């Protein structure tokens, strides 16, 4: 029964569905770059700041797909790390105001 599936399976299923959509949207080369930087972050070879900035470039400035991917990670610490970084960056953009960055 679909409703009886464990919560983790549901998150994993959403993650796989998102991966398919991203691969189709970004194309294989860009998707491969995104996958590579995400894996480097998960293994500790890339800082969250670099992941976020590089991923946003690949995703056209949309953090939504990155946050959705992170939500399917089994590592709660990594999920929370990315969510905190996103919140701090989003807060900085609000304080700065739209279209007034980088003088």
């Amino acid at each position: 029964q679909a409703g009886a599936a464990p919560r983790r399976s549901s998150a994993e299923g959403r993650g796989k569905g998102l991966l398919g959509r991203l691969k189709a949207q970004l194309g294989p080369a860009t998707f491969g770059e995104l996958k590579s930087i995400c894996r480097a972050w998960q293994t500790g070879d890339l800082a969250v700041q670099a992941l976020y900035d590089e991923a946003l470039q690949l995703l056209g400035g949309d953090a939504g797909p990155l946050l959705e991917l992170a939500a399917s990670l089994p590592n709660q610490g990594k999920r929370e790390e990315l969510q905190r970084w996103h919140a701090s960056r989003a807060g900085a953009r609000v304080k700065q105001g739209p279209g007034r960055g980088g003088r």
Side-chain angles (χ1 to χ4, degrees):
Q1 292 180 357
R7 189 175 193 164
R8 182 172 180 196
S9 293
S10 176
E12 288 172 359
R14 283 192 311 271
K16 287 182 182 188
L18 177 61
L19 288 177
R21 289 192 311 272
L22 279 175
K23 190 172 189 178
Q25 175 187 344
L26 299 173
T30 303
F31 178 78
E33 288 181 56
L34 180 64
K35 187 175 175 181
S36 177
I37 63 171
C38 287
R39 181 159 292 138
W41 170 66
Q42 289 175 29
T43 59
D45 294 328
L46 188 67
V48 69
Q49 300 90 331
L51 165 75
Y52 190 86
D53 291 342
E54 291 180 37
L56 256 58
Q57 265 191 319
L58 295 172
L59 295 167
D62 182 8
L66 180 62
L67 296 173
E68 284 184 66
L69 283 172
S72 68
L73 288 175
N75 184 328
Q76 181 178 351
K78 285 291 187 183
R79 287 194 311 263
E80 291 173 354
E81 177 186 30
L82 181 58
Q83 290 166 346
R84 281 191 307 270
W85 182 254
H86 171 70
S88 74
R89 292 294 298 261
R93 280 194 299 271
V94 168
K95 289 177 189 174
Q96 187 177 46
R100 295 190 301 182
R103 283 191 178 188

